Structure formats: C-alpha cells, structure tokens
Amino acid sequence: MAMRPVLADYEDHQVFSSLFTAYPDGLLLVDGMGNIAAANPAARELLGYATGDELLIGMSVDALVPENIRPRHAAYRDGYVASPRSRPMGTQMDLVARRRDGSEVQVEISLSPLQRHGLPFTVAAIRAVGDYPRVRQAIQRARYAEFLAAFGRLAVEGRELQELIDRLPSIAAEALQVEMAKILMLDAGGTRFRIAAGVGLLPDEVVGGHVANEPGSPAHHVVTKGESLVIADYAAERRFHIPRPYLDAGLVCEASVPLKDRERVIGTLAVRSKTPKRFGNDELRFLESLSSLLVTVLQRASSEEALRHAQRLESVGQLTGGIAHDFNNLLTIISGNLQVLEDLPSHAGDPAALQLVNAALRATRRAADLTGKLLAFSRRQVLQPAMVDVGALLRSLTDMLRRTLDQRIAITLVAPTDMLCLADPVQLESALLNIAINARDAMHQGGTLSFAVRRVERLPHGWQDDALPPTPGGHVAIDVRDTGEGMSEAVVARAFEPFFTTKDSGRGTGLGLSTVYGFARQSHGAVSLQSSLGGGTVVTLYLPRVDAGTEEGDAAQQPWLQELPAGLRVLLVEDDVEVRRVAERFLENLRCKVTACADASEAAHCFGDGSGFDLLLTDVVLGPGARGTALAARLRSLKRDLPVLLVSGYASELPDDASQWRLLRKPYQREELATAIGRALLDARSGPPGASM
C-alpha cells in the first residue's frame, strides 16, 4: 500500500499502522496536492470502497465532494494547505460526502496537519453525522414528527373518519418499524374491545371483531389506569398475562397508549415488535401524539354528527311546528263544531247521531294528542304542569311498551293507585319512554324492565336546589330498572351530558337522558342514575307529589272553574274566521258577551279605554308580524288589571315573556276554555301565573 513507505522510517511502524487500521472513524491521509495517500477500513466502508480496492488511493479528495460544491471545496483546500491548522470534530462544519455509488452521506470532518512533524500530509477524520447518538435521536424524532404531520394533513383534508382510523395503524407501524399495530375501542359496557383497525394482526384477530377486556391484560391496565404502558420483554414479564399466540408469532415487546376523550378512556392504540426493547420514551411520546390526533378527529366527527342531527331536529321541529299550528286550527274547528252539534236540540233525542258525534270527538282528541307528542319530540312544547295519576300513566305506558319493545323483554309494574304528582303529562310520558328505550338498548339478549312508584320525603343528597321552595308533600319517585349490561363509573359520570352517547354512530344523539334531566329540574324535581358493569341500571325520576285536594287537583273546590259569571265581556281576537266562529259559540254558550276581531289593529280600536271589557282572549299568531302578546301588553298599558288568556296551537311560537300570560292550547274543549278563563280571572286578581297552563 502507499502508506507503507511513509511510515517505514518510524521505529513504531507496526503500532502506528495498527492504530490507523483499527481507528473507528474513517481516516484519510491527504498530500499537499489534495490526493489521497492512504485510507483506513472505516473510511472505505463509509465511502463505499471495498477493502483492497486501490481506486481510492491517489484519488483527489475533491472527487468525494458533490459536483455542485467542488469549486468552493477546492478553494477552501488551497487556503488550508497555505495555512494548515488543527480542526477537531464538533466545530459544526458539516459536509456532504459522495460515495462510490453516487449516493451521498452527511459527514463531519476533523483535520490534523502533519507538517509540523516534518510530513507533507494532513489526516482527515470522517464520521457520519448519524453515528452520533444525539443526532440519531434528533433524526428519529424528526422522522416521527413527519409521520405525525402526515396524519394531521390527512385529517385536515377532511378524509372519512373510518379511512383515517384505517390508516393510523399502518402509519404507526411504518414510523416505528414494527410488525403489528392496532386500535381497540372499548364498548359501552366496558367488558370487551372492538378491533377498529390494525396491521399485522394475528389469524384470530379481524377488524370489526371483538376481544375480551380481561383483567390482567395490558389493554385492561391501560383503559383502567388511563396511562401508557411499555413491556420491554415478554419473556421477563410478570405483571400481565401475555397471550400465547403473541409469543408463537415471535413478538417480544409492546407499547400501548390510551385513547382519551376528555379524560374518559375509550380505547387503546397498541404496537408490538419482534425486536427486544424496541420502545423508549420517544416512541411512547410518538404514540401518545398519534392517539391525541385520533381522538381529536373522533371528537370532530362526533361534534359534526351531533350538529347535523341537531340541525335535522331543528328542521323537523320547524316543519312540525308550522304544520301543527294549521292542523290544530283545523282540529279546533272540527272539535268545536262537533261540540256545538252535540248540544243541538235536534240531536238530543237521537242516540245514533250522538254516538257518531262522540266518536268524531274522540278522534279529534286522539289527533290532538298525536300533535302534542310530535311537538314534544321536537322539544318545542312549553311545560304545562297538571295533576298526574302516576299509576294510571304507567299502566298505559307499560301496556304500550309490551306491544312495541323486544318480546324477550319482560315488563313489570308496581304502583299504588293513589300516587299523584305535579308535572306535564306529555313530557313525563316522553321522559319515561326515553329511559325505557335506553334500557332496551342495554338488554341485547332480553331481560326485565321494571317500573316501581314510591313516595320519598326529600330528594337525594346533592339534588335539592336551594333556589326552589321545599315541596310540602315530598316527591314521587319513579324507579325504572333494567337487567342490562350496565355502565362503568366513567360513563355514569357523563350520562346526563348533552350529546354524550355510548351508542354506535347513527344510533344515538346523546340527547335522551339530558332531556330527561332538563324536564325533571324544570318540574322542580330531579333524576338520578345508579349502574355498574354487568349489574344493570336504575334511573329514578323524582317529581313533586300533590294531594287530590290541592288547587291543581281539585277543580270541584274552585266554583269559578266550573261556572263563569254571566255577562262576562270578552274581547276575542282570532285571524282564522272558522276558529273565531267556534270560539264565539263557546263563549256565548258560557253566557259571555263577545266582541270578535280579526286582527290586532281592529282589536285595539274596539278596546278604547278598556272600560267595556273584562277579558282579552287572543290567538298568539295574528297574521304576518303581529303577536297576541304584543297586543296584550298594549292593552294592559291601558287597563292594568285586564285578565289575558292566550290561545295557541304551537307553543314554541311564544316569545320569551309569554310566561306572564295564561295559555290555552288548541284544540280545546268548551270546558277547558271555561277553566282557562277562570284561571286568567284569578291571575288578574292575584298576579301573573308564572307558568303556562
């Protein structure tokens, strides 16, 4: 070799030759012309020249530099030869070396001139930048960041949720260079996982399949503790049970991180490798970042779906409300005329005619109930508390549920016959139906749904609202118990949150129990939930209890509810001519003196100073832009003690200040009109009602 004559004059030739050969960094001996005189094995390997390959010897070092920077490198080399000096590693002078195959590698170079030792050479030590541990770590982190950014770009592009879920395991496996990655989603009961996506899965693992959430397993630990986990070596693991198929597949270590949705663990992201001790802090942080991105995507999709559903409900509600107003006007006309027909002397002695009229009246009442339920569904109904026989309501509801729920579900009822509560009956039935549907969904294989009614003196601890007056009669507690799969503590803690649901996409909005909660609190009551995994669920609805002798419950003790004073002067305002005629007939039948108007301006003109009227009876909607509430406020400014009764077929058309007026819903019976007028007269003497009838 060319180096042998150079070192022959030294007595330690063998020692220096061995050091040169064994040195871990690449060493090049370069003469004053910039030609390579010698290269050690490390340099040959780094630059891609085989041992014994003499092509490197005698080559200009400029050939090891990419062509685009060779002129600058030659100028620098000439300057260095003119004034040689030592330059150690770590001076941040990084270069790119060109290997024999044309590829490039980033290197750092130190220079040691031998001129001061009488030799016309310079020793260039070359080290690949990637050989530094910290540099390798920085490169690895940059690589992980690149994969995170790639997944983030996919999410920003608005890809389908399932496509993003499917892509994530392959991104994790490629970034970490491991054999297996998968996403496990915890089911509603917390007893098993669904394999949402994965790569490198074992033969018995399929996407969409389920695996048990077994205590003692790594996945169970991650979702229970909510913390990341690394198992460095399956063979030495003593904390957890490792399934035999993992060992048979040659997997030796794993890392798992929780998928957390607002501190609630909903699943895990796990990776496994055949390389021991493959996962460190950087790998764990990368997985945690991936899981955070995935949960953000899931939250966005959930919010978007909830928004879309809310918008659909809003559209349905608006459509329902618009139809309900016109439909209830029609029902008012039909029902009113049937009642007038029923009282005609010509029909009094005709049983067949009365039977037909009564059948038609019953049909209108059923149609009115149906309209009310549609409005309750769209949550556009103003609460109208009344005395409710809880036992009777539950007997009717359970009869309906037995016909409509899964036949594998047995339904039981224990309710006394004398338990009365104060609540809106339509909303109470809707709330109980919501609870029953949730119970059905929790009993996939059937079970028992039990209803029980009891009396309690006080609300559960923590539920009494200090802003509300105590209820003298205590509360009626309605227990709805199922034998379903139950809920975890984390799910119970969020069960009443709006839009929270454990059901699959498209099967629930998370508004059911939150609506029940709102109804209970608005009714001066409460709702509680008790559940455990595998132990079923009990939802208890608490409502104010009333006695049959209370004002709400005993109309017989209120003579003014049964018979109005003769000659009551009523200003009637209704824009629908047929509805106005029905109302006139009812009022005349109640011995009232009626002045009927078609709009607000006509009514204001007729009212004058108000001395000629004892009551304003007005529809809420009085044509484009006109409101009965505005008319009532205007007339009240002229006569402060004027009794007001609003009539509406669509409670959501009421403005925010409507609670100061008594409200009668269309369609109404003549007796209901009389009762509502009586209450309006009482309100005028004692103050605003505070709540709609």
Side-chain angles (χ1 to χ4, degrees):
M1 293 177 59
M3 64 173 285
R4 186 172 301 278
V6 175
L7 300 177
D9 296 336
Y10 291 83
E11 58 182 1
D12 295 328
H13 165 268
Q14 188 63 43
V15 173
F16 285 109
S17 178
S18 297
L19 286 174
F20 187 82
T21 302
Y23 198 74
D25 288 333
L27 296 177
L28 296 177
L29 195 63
V30 183
D31 62 22
M33 301 300 293
N35 298 319
I36 299 173
N40 73 345
R44 292 175 178 275
E45 181 180 359
L46 175 62
L47 298 172
Y49 292 86
T51 302
D53 188 343
E54 295 300 321
L55 182 61
L56 188 60
I57 307 305
M59 179 187 296
S60 172
V61 291
D62 291 343
L64 302 178
V65 178
E67 293 183 4
N68 60 323
I69 61 174
R70 284 179 187 174
R72 285 189 288 118
H73 180 267
Y76 174 81
R77 177 175 51 76
D78 291 341
Y80 183 85
V81 171
S83 179
R85 61 197 179 280
S86 296
R87 187 176 70 80
M89 289 279 191
T91 59
Q92 306 303 319
M93 184 175 180
D94 298 337
L95 295 173
V96 175
R98 188 173 186 276
R99 306 176 79 245
R100 182 175 183 179
D101 60 6
S103 62
E104 297 178 356
V105 58
Q106 190 173 6
V107 296
E108 188 173 44
I109 299 176
S110 70
L111 301 176
S112 302
L114 301 183
Q115 283 84 347
R116 69 185 63 178
H117 301 289
L119 297 174
F121 297 102
T122 298
V123 177
I126 308 174
R127 180 186 297 169
V129 172
D131 290 341
Y132 289 99
R134 290 185 180 178
V135 173
R136 286 201 306 271
Q137 187 180 52
I139 293 174
Q140 190 70 284
R141 289 176 178 174
R143 186 168 179 272
Y144 293 158
E146 185 178 344
F147 278 96
L148 286 172
F151 184 73
R153 285 193 296 271
L154 292 176
V156 170
E157 290 171 1
R159 302 293 183 92
E160 291 292 331
L161 176 60
Q162 190 56 51
E163 180 183 353
L164 291 171
I165 293 175
D166 292 341
R167 291 286 295 276
L168 189 135
S170 60
I171 289 175
E174 183 181 355
L176 297 175
Q177 297 178 330
V178 297
E179 290 75 23
M180 174 191 285
K182 65 181 176 182
I183 298 172
L184 300 178
M185 301 299 292
L186 195 63
D187 69 3
T191 59
R192 60 180 185 171
F193 294 101
R194 179 176 61 87
I195 302 176
V199 293
L201 299 176
L202 299 179
D204 61 342
E205 295 178 329
V206 294
V207 174
H210 292 84
V211 294
N213 182 15
E214 297 179 348
S217 67
H220 179 80
H221 174 87
V222 171
V223 297
T224 302
K225 299 295 184 180
E227 60 186 23
S228 302
L229 172 69
V230 171
I231 299 178
D233 188 352
Y234 282 159
E237 180 56 45
R238 298 294 180 267
R239 297 169 297 171
F240 308 108
H241 169 69
I242 306 301
R244 188 69 208 178
Y246 290 170
L247 302 177
D248 294 341
L251 300 170
V252 297
C253 64
E254 77 168 83
S256 299
V257 298
L259 300 174
K260 287 186 178 181
D261 181 5
R262 302 178 184 90
E263 300 306 317
R264 180 176 65 98
V265 180
I266 60 175
T268 73
L269 169 61
V271 293
R272 294 177 175 84
S273 175
K274 296 180 179 181
T275 304
K277 300 180 180 180
R278 177 65 187 81
F279 307 111
N281 291 333
D282 287 342
E283 287 68 33
L284 212 55
R285 280 193 290 268
F286 168 69
L287 289 175
E288 289 169 347
S289 298
L290 264 185
S291 73
S292 296
L293 279 174
L294 176 60
V295 169
T296 299
V297 170
L298 293 173
Q299 290 173 345
R300 183 187 69 184
S302 176
S303 299
E304 290 174 349
E305 175 60 27
L307 177 61
R308 284 193 294 269
H309 191 83
Q311 290 171 336
R312 287 195 297 270
L313 281 180
E314 181 67 20
S315 299
V316 170
Q318 291 176 355
L319 177 63
T320 302
I323 294 174
H325 181 270
D326 293 340
F327 188 59
N328 279 331
N329 273 346
L330 294 174
L331 286 176
T332 301
I333 296 168
I334 296 170
S335 173
N337 282 291
L338 285 171
Q339 291 176 73
V340 172
L341 186 63
E342 186 181 29
D343 291 338
L344 291 178
S346 59
H347 290 84
D350 189 345
L354 289 177
Q355 184 177 9
L356 293 174
V357 170
N358 288 332
L361 283 172
R362 288 193 297 272
T364 60
R365 284 193 288 270
R366 287 197 299 271
D369 289 341
L370 176 61
T371 305
K373 289 180 179 179
L374 288 173
L375 290 172
F377 161 75
S378 60
R379 295 182 299 284
R380 293 175 173 268
Q381 194 73 293
V382 174
L383 288 184
Q384 302 199 45
M387 185 185 68
V388 178
D389 184 334
V390 180
L393 185 146
L394 283 174
R395 281 189 288 274
S396 174
L397 178 64
T398 51
D399 285 345
M400 184 268 289
L401 291 176
R402 288 189 182 97
R403 295 192 300 271
T404 57
L405 291 188
D406 191 328
Q407 296 302 306
R408 295 173 298 175
I409 297 177
I411 299 176
T412 65
L413 171 62
V414 177
T417 57
D418 58 347
M419 195 70 74
L420 307 176
C421 75
L422 183 62
D424 186 312
V426 174
Q427 297 294 338
L428 173 56
E429 186 176 41
S430 177
L432 292 170
L433 187 59
N434 260 319
I435 298 170
I437 290 173
N438 280 348
R440 176 205 64 187
D441 293 342
M443 295 185 287
H444 304 290
Q445 305 302 321
T448 301
L449 177 61
S450 304
F451 294 84
V453 182
R454 53 192 171 89
R455 176 178 176 176
V456 295
E457 297 301 326
R458 295 184 58 83
L459 292 176
H461 177 70
W463 285 100
Q464 180 62 50
D465 191 340
D466 295 335
L468 300 177
T471 304
H475 284 77
V476 174
I478 307 173
D479 298 319
V480 185
R481 184 186 303 270
D482 67 64
T483 58
E485 58 193 15
M487 308 178 191
S488 65
E489 292 183 6
V491 173
V492 170
R494 301 188 61 198
F496 293 114
E497 291 183 12
F499 299 112
F500 173 75
T501 179
T502 57
K503 297 176 182 177
D504 293 336
S505 177
R507 294 199 60 198
T509 65
L511 293 172
L513 286 180
S514 66
T515 303
V516 173
Y517 172 84
F519 160 72
R521 299 297 279 171
Q522 192 176 357
S523 301
H524 295 187
V527 61
S528 66
L529 186 150
Q530 295 177 327
S531 186
S532 60
L533 289 176
T537 300
V538 182
V539 179
T540 302
L541 192 58
Y542 300 89
L543 296 167
R545 196 185 72 85
V546 294
D547 294 320
T550 61
E551 176 184 330
E552 290 83 0
D554 193 359
Q557 296 182 9
Q558 306 283 358
W560 50 268
L561 293 180
Q562 299 299 312
E563 186 173 349
L564 297 175
L568 188 72
R569 296 167 299 176
V570 179
L571 178 60
L572 171 64
V573 190
E574 169 63 61
D575 61 334
D576 188 298
V577 60
E578 294 295 339
V579 175
R580 188 167 65 248
R581 288 174 181 170
V582 168
E584 282 186 86
R585 292 192 185 101
F586 280 179
L587 291 168
E588 290 169 353
N589 186 268
L590 294 171
R591 299 180 300 167
C592 297
K593 294 182 179 179
V594 185
T595 300
C597 301
D599 55 46
S601 60
E602 181 184 353
H605 176 74
C606 292
F607 189 75
D609 62 1
S611 59
F613 294 99
D614 302 313
L615 173 76
L616 170 65
L617 175 61
T618 177
D619 193 11
V620 173
V621 178
L622 296 175
R627 289 285 189 220
T629 51
L631 174 64
R634 179 180 177 183
L635 300 189
R636 268 277 179 93
S637 67
L638 301 174
K639 186 176 182 179
R640 297 186 59 183
D641 60 347
L642 176 68
V644 175
L645 176 60
L646 301 178
V647 183
S648 176
Y650 177 32
S652 269
E653 66 195 6
L654 296 175
D656 294 338
D657 62 349
S659 61
Q660 63 180 301
W661 317 110
R662 184 64 62 177
L663 173 69
L664 176 65
R665 287 188 296 189
K666 296 178 182 178
Y668 50 83
Q669 304 294 309
R670 183 172 48 209
E671 293 77 11
E672 293 173 333
L673 175 61
T675 299
I677 291 175
R679 291 185 183 277
L681 296 175
L682 180 65
D683 292 340
R685 294 196 294 269
S686 60
S692 299
M693 174 182 169

mmCIF file of all heavy atoms in Angstrom, residues 177-179 230-236 250-254 272-280:
data_model
loop_
_atom_site.group_PDB
_atom_site.id
_atom_site.type_symbol
_atom_site.label_atom_id
_atom_site.label_comp_id
_atom_site.label_asym_id
_atom_site.label_seq_id
_atom_site.Cartn_x
_atom_site.Cartn_y
_atom_site.Cartn_z
ATOM 1 N N GLN A 177 -41.326 1.092 12.621
ATOM 2 C CA GLN A 177 -40.710 -0.089 12.005
ATOM 3 C C GLN A 177 -40.960 -1.337 12.852
ATOM 4 O O GLN A 177 -40.054 -2.040 13.268
ATOM 5 C CB GLN A 177 -39.209 0.144 11.795
ATOM 6 C CG GLN A 177 -38.917 1.290 10.836
ATOM 7 C CD GLN A 177 -37.441 1.561 10.647
ATOM 8 O OE1 GLN A 177 -36.635 1.325 11.560
ATOM 9 N NE2 GLN A 177 -37.068 2.062 9.482
ATOM 10 N N VAL A 178 -42.266 -1.564 13.121
ATOM 11 C CA VAL A 178 -42.681 -2.721 13.908
ATOM 12 C C VAL A 178 -43.614 -3.582 13.076
ATOM 13 O O VAL A 178 -44.083 -3.183 12.009
ATOM 14 C CB VAL A 178 -43.376 -2.285 15.217
ATOM 15 C CG1 VAL A 178 -42.405 -1.503 16.099
ATOM 16 C CG2 VAL A 178 -44.619 -1.448 14.929
ATOM 17 N N GLU A 179 -43.898 -4.773 13.600
ATOM 18 C CA GLU A 179 -44.656 -5.754 12.831
ATOM 19 C C GLU A 179 -46.166 -5.658 13.037
ATOM 20 O O GLU A 179 -46.943 -6.120 12.204
ATOM 21 C CB GLU A 179 -44.199 -7.171 13.207
ATOM 22 C CG GLU A 179 -42.804 -7.533 12.731
ATOM 23 C CD GLU A 179 -41.703 -6.863 13.557
ATOM 24 O OE1 GLU A 179 -41.981 -6.493 14.730
ATOM 25 O OE2 GLU A 179 -40.579 -6.711 13.037
ATOM 26 N N VAL A 230 -45.331 0.216 28.600
ATOM 27 C CA VAL A 230 -44.308 -0.415 27.769
ATOM 28 C C VAL A 230 -43.924 -1.744 28.411
ATOM 29 O O VAL A 230 -43.639 -1.805 29.610
ATOM 30 C CB VAL A 230 -43.063 0.472 27.632
ATOM 31 C CG1 VAL A 230 -41.923 -0.299 26.958
ATOM 32 C CG2 VAL A 230 -43.375 1.718 26.814
ATOM 33 N N ILE A 231 -43.951 -2.789 27.621
ATOM 34 C CA ILE A 231 -43.446 -4.099 28.053
ATOM 35 C C ILE A 231 -42.205 -4.373 27.221
ATOM 36 O O ILE A 231 -42.288 -4.618 26.022
ATOM 37 C CB ILE A 231 -44.500 -5.204 27.859
ATOM 38 C CG1 ILE A 231 -45.750 -4.891 28.689
ATOM 39 C CG2 ILE A 231 -43.934 -6.560 28.263
ATOM 40 C CD1 ILE A 231 -46.865 -5.902 28.516
ATOM 41 N N ALA A 232 -41.040 -4.321 27.862
ATOM 42 C CA ALA A 232 -39.778 -4.412 27.139
ATOM 43 C C ALA A 232 -39.480 -5.815 26.640
ATOM 44 O O ALA A 232 -38.858 -5.995 25.593
ATOM 45 C CB ALA A 232 -38.635 -3.912 28.019
ATOM 46 N N ASP A 233 -39.917 -6.827 27.405
ATOM 47 C CA ASP A 233 -39.583 -8.209 27.040
ATOM 48 C C ASP A 233 -40.677 -9.126 27.561
ATOM 49 O O ASP A 233 -40.863 -9.251 28.777
ATOM 50 C CB ASP A 233 -38.230 -8.591 27.640
ATOM 51 C CG ASP A 233 -37.738 -9.952 27.146
ATOM 52 O OD1 ASP A 233 -38.514 -10.657 26.471
ATOM 53 O OD2 ASP A 233 -36.582 -10.303 27.447
ATOM 54 N N TYR A 234 -41.416 -9.742 26.647
ATOM 55 C CA TYR A 234 -42.483 -10.648 27.063
ATOM 56 C C TYR A 234 -41.955 -11.778 27.956
ATOM 57 O O TYR A 234 -42.615 -12.194 28.910
ATOM 58 C CB TYR A 234 -43.167 -11.254 25.840
ATOM 59 C CG TYR A 234 -44.148 -10.341 25.148
ATOM 60 C CD1 TYR A 234 -44.513 -10.560 23.818
ATOM 61 C CD2 TYR A 234 -44.727 -9.266 25.811
ATOM 62 C CE1 TYR A 234 -45.425 -9.730 23.171
ATOM 63 C CE2 TYR A 234 -45.632 -8.438 25.175
ATOM 64 C CZ TYR A 234 -45.979 -8.665 23.860
ATOM 65 O OH TYR A 234 -46.877 -7.849 23.238
ATOM 66 N N ALA A 235 -40.771 -12.278 27.640
ATOM 67 C CA ALA A 235 -40.231 -13.429 28.366
ATOM 68 C C ALA A 235 -40.010 -13.110 29.843
ATOM 69 O O ALA A 235 -40.144 -13.989 30.708
ATOM 70 C CB ALA A 235 -38.924 -13.900 27.725
ATOM 71 N N ALA A 236 -39.689 -11.847 30.120
ATOM 72 C CA ALA A 236 -39.412 -11.469 31.510
ATOM 73 C C ALA A 236 -40.614 -10.810 32.184
ATOM 74 O O ALA A 236 -40.508 -10.400 33.346
ATOM 75 C CB ALA A 236 -38.216 -10.511 31.546
ATOM 76 N N GLY A 250 -43.592 -14.740 17.455
ATOM 77 C CA GLY A 250 -42.258 -14.153 17.564
ATOM 78 C C GLY A 250 -42.239 -12.742 18.109
ATOM 79 O O GLY A 250 -41.185 -12.089 18.117
ATOM 80 N N LEU A 251 -43.382 -12.233 18.568
ATOM 81 C CA LEU A 251 -43.431 -10.888 19.146
ATOM 82 C C LEU A 251 -42.828 -10.923 20.547
ATOM 83 O O LEU A 251 -43.088 -11.851 21.323
ATOM 84 C CB LEU A 251 -44.872 -10.387 19.200
ATOM 85 C CG LEU A 251 -45.578 -10.293 17.840
ATOM 86 C CD1 LEU A 251 -47.064 -10.021 18.010
ATOM 87 C CD2 LEU A 251 -44.929 -9.207 16.981
ATOM 88 N N VAL A 252 -42.048 -9.906 20.869
ATOM 89 C CA VAL A 252 -41.330 -9.947 22.154
ATOM 90 C C VAL A 252 -41.552 -8.708 23.015
ATOM 91 O O VAL A 252 -41.183 -8.709 24.197
ATOM 92 C CB VAL A 252 -39.816 -10.140 21.927
ATOM 93 C CG1 VAL A 252 -39.538 -11.479 21.255
ATOM 94 C CG2 VAL A 252 -39.232 -8.989 21.107
ATOM 95 N N CYS A 253 -42.131 -7.637 22.467
ATOM 96 C CA CYS A 253 -42.342 -6.447 23.288
ATOM 97 C C CYS A 253 -43.497 -5.641 22.722
ATOM 98 O O CYS A 253 -43.918 -5.850 21.574
ATOM 99 C CB CYS A 253 -41.079 -5.591 23.362
ATOM 100 S SG CYS A 253 -40.550 -4.897 21.783
ATOM 101 N N GLU A 254 -44.004 -4.707 23.516
ATOM 102 C CA GLU A 254 -45.131 -3.894 23.063
ATOM 103 C C GLU A 254 -45.163 -2.561 23.781
ATOM 104 O O GLU A 254 -44.560 -2.374 24.844
ATOM 105 C CB GLU A 254 -46.464 -4.616 23.276
ATOM 106 C CG GLU A 254 -46.969 -4.629 24.700
ATOM 107 C CD GLU A 254 -48.425 -5.096 24.788
ATOM 108 O OE1 GLU A 254 -48.647 -6.326 24.790
ATOM 109 O OE2 GLU A 254 -49.304 -4.221 24.855
ATOM 110 N N ARG A 272 -46.626 -3.735 18.548
ATOM 111 C CA ARG A 272 -45.807 -4.850 19.027
ATOM 112 C C ARG A 272 -44.671 -5.100 18.043
ATOM 113 O O ARG A 272 -44.821 -4.867 16.845
ATOM 114 C CB ARG A 272 -46.657 -6.107 19.214
ATOM 115 C CG ARG A 272 -47.695 -5.954 20.319
ATOM 116 C CD ARG A 272 -48.589 -7.174 20.466
ATOM 117 N NE ARG A 272 -49.468 -7.024 21.603
ATOM 118 C CZ ARG A 272 -50.625 -6.387 21.587
ATOM 119 N NH1 ARG A 272 -51.051 -5.865 20.449
ATOM 120 N NH2 ARG A 272 -51.360 -6.283 22.671
ATOM 121 N N SER A 273 -43.552 -5.591 18.582
ATOM 122 C CA SER A 273 -42.361 -5.767 17.752
ATOM 123 C C SER A 273 -41.688 -7.095 18.069
ATOM 124 O O SER A 273 -41.826 -7.643 19.171
ATOM 125 C CB SER A 273 -41.382 -4.609 18.001
ATOM 126 O OG SER A 273 -40.175 -4.808 17.301
ATOM 127 N N LYS A 274 -40.939 -7.577 17.078
ATOM 128 C CA LYS A 274 -40.116 -8.774 17.266
ATOM 129 C C LYS A 274 -38.710 -8.425 17.736
ATOM 130 O O LYS A 274 -37.895 -9.325 17.938
ATOM 131 C CB LYS A 274 -40.052 -9.557 15.954
ATOM 132 C CG LYS A 274 -41.403 -10.109 15.503
ATOM 133 C CD LYS A 274 -41.289 -10.888 14.201
ATOM 134 C CE LYS A 274 -42.642 -11.444 13.775
ATOM 135 N NZ LYS A 274 -42.549 -12.223 12.505
ATOM 136 N N THR A 275 -38.431 -7.138 17.882
ATOM 137 C CA THR A 275 -37.116 -6.682 18.352
ATOM 138 C C THR A 275 -37.201 -6.343 19.836
ATOM 139 O O THR A 275 -38.038 -5.520 20.223
ATOM 140 C CB THR A 275 -36.665 -5.438 17.577
ATOM 141 O OG1 THR A 275 -36.663 -5.746 16.178
ATOM 142 C CG2 THR A 275 -35.275 -5.005 18.015
ATOM 143 N N PRO A 276 -36.385 -6.945 20.687
ATOM 144 C CA PRO A 276 -36.468 -6.667 22.130
ATOM 145 C C PRO A 276 -36.175 -5.205 22.442
ATOM 146 O O PRO A 276 -35.401 -4.540 21.750
ATOM 147 C CB PRO A 276 -35.395 -7.582 22.731
ATOM 148 C CG PRO A 276 -35.130 -8.624 21.692
ATOM 149 C CD PRO A 276 -35.369 -7.964 20.373
ATOM 150 N N LYS A 277 -36.820 -4.704 23.463
ATOM 151 C CA LYS A 277 -36.586 -3.349 23.975
ATOM 152 C C LYS A 277 -36.668 -2.315 22.846
ATOM 153 O O LYS A 277 -35.843 -1.414 22.753
ATOM 154 C CB LYS A 277 -35.242 -3.273 24.685
ATOM 155 C CG LYS A 277 -35.136 -4.231 25.869
ATOM 156 C CD LYS A 277 -33.780 -4.134 26.558
ATOM 157 C CE LYS A 277 -33.692 -5.092 27.741
ATOM 158 N NZ LYS A 277 -32.389 -5.017 28.427
ATOM 159 N N ARG A 278 -37.673 -2.458 22.041
ATOM 160 C CA ARG A 278 -37.805 -1.594 20.868
ATOM 161 C C ARG A 278 -38.356 -0.214 21.218
ATOM 162 O O ARG A 278 -38.161 0.742 20.479
ATOM 163 C CB ARG A 278 -38.738 -2.285 19.857
ATOM 164 C CG ARG A 278 -39.049 -1.483 18.608
ATOM 165 C CD ARG A 278 -37.805 -1.262 17.768
ATOM 166 N NE ARG A 278 -38.054 -0.363 16.659
ATOM 167 C CZ ARG A 278 -38.076 0.964 16.725
ATOM 168 N NH1 ARG A 278 -37.866 1.555 17.897
ATOM 169 N NH2 ARG A 278 -38.319 1.707 15.658
ATOM 170 N N PHE A 279 -39.053 -0.093 22.355
ATOM 171 C CA PHE A 279 -39.801 1.129 22.635
ATOM 172 C C PHE A 279 -39.211 1.894 23.808
ATOM 173 O O PHE A 279 -39.031 1.351 24.903
ATOM 174 C CB PHE A 279 -41.268 0.792 22.926
ATOM 175 C CG PHE A 279 -41.895 -0.041 21.847
ATOM 176 C CD1 PHE A 279 -42.242 -1.362 22.088
ATOM 177 C CD2 PHE A 279 -42.105 0.479 20.583
ATOM 178 C CE1 PHE A 279 -42.807 -2.135 21.102
ATOM 179 C CE2 PHE A 279 -42.665 -0.293 19.584
ATOM 180 C CZ PHE A 279 -43.018 -1.606 19.838
ATOM 181 N N GLY A 280 -38.893 3.174 23.548
ATOM 182 C CA GLY A 280 -38.397 4.069 24.581
ATOM 183 C C GLY A 280 -39.333 5.250 24.749
ATOM 184 O O GLY A 280 -40.472 5.258 24.258
#
